[in-house]
């Protein structure tokens, strides 16, 4: 709970900042879960389903998704879904970057154009939200 010295305006600003923080954590958990999934796929190969379910990377991926869901719920307590959900597209940008640096995957011109389009869309949505 917030101290009583905060007025209603300060409390709302604090809640808003906290929601943005939870949104960022949600996005990061989702991205990290995808990375762990890739590590799991690389280490298991074409193994039996039991090998996949007991793979430590796969388990870490599920743990990240669990925390992502919790952070997402905290995000939606204050932020509108129509505002918060498009920001989850930042996952695509994070994944393209990590695919290149961590897995040494090829990033094509089309990948870069796609990331640019996503970033442009996020900026346009935020400009429109800021005006309202």
């Amino acid at each position: 709970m917030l101290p009583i010295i905060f007025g209603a305006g300060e409390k709302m600003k604090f809640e808003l900042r906290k929601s943005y923080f939870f949104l960022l954590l949600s996005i990061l958990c989702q991205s990290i879960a995808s990375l762990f999934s890739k590590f799991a796929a690389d280490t298991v190969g074409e193994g039996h389903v039991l090998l996949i379910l007991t793979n430590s990377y796969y388990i870490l991926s599920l743990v990240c998704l669990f925390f992502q869901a919790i952070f997402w719920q905290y995000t939606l307590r204050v932020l509108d879904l129509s505002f918060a959900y498009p920001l989850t597209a930042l996952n695509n940008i994070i994944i393209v970057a990590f695919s290149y640096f961590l897995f040494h995957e090829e990033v094509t011109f089309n990948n870069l154009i796609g990331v640019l389009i996503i970033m442009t869309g996020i900026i346009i949505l935020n400009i429109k939200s800021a005006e309202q």
Side-chain angles (χ1 to χ4, degrees):
M1 222 42 202
L2 293 174
I4 297 176
I5 57 171
F6 285 146
E10 286 119 2
K11 182 177 180 183
M12 188 57 198
K13 286 180 187 175
F14 178 77
E15 290 297 319
L16 191 59
R17 276 190 235 121
K18 193 165 68 168
S19 292
Y20 281 115
F21 178 69
F22 284 128
L23 176 60
L24 178 64
L25 288 176
S26 175
I27 291 168
L28 289 175
C29 283
Q30 178 86 32
S31 297
I32 292 169
S34 296
L35 297 174
F36 281 136
S37 292
K38 173 65 173 165
F39 279 125
D42 287 348
T43 57
V44 171
E46 294 188 28
H48 189 269
V49 134
L50 189 57
L51 287 174
I52 296 169
L53 294 176
T54 58
N55 182 283
S56 58
Y57 290 121
Y58 181 71
I59 293 168
L60 286 170
S61 175
L62 292 176
V63 168
C64 287
L65 289 174
F66 172 79
F67 283 109
Q68 183 273 336
I70 291 172
F71 295 141
W72 185 244
Q73 293 306 305
Y74 279 109
T75 298
L76 294 179
R77 286 183 176 182
V78 175
L79 297 178
D80 291 338
L81 180 62
S82 61
F83 173 77
Y85 191 77
L87 292 173
T88 63
L90 291 170
N91 282 320
N92 298 316
I93 298 166
I94 294 168
I95 293 302
V96 168
F98 276 106
S99 296
Y100 178 77
F101 289 111
L102 196 59
F103 300 113
H104 308 289
E105 295 179 0
E106 180 184 357
V107 176
T108 65
F109 180 73
N110 287 344
N111 292 125
L112 296 176
I113 293 297
V115 165
L116 183 63
I117 291 170
I118 291 168
M119 289 173 39
T120 303
I122 291 171
I123 291 168
I124 290 170
L125 285 171
N126 283 313
I127 289 171
K128 184 174 183 182
S129 295
E131 291 172 355
Q132 294 174 349

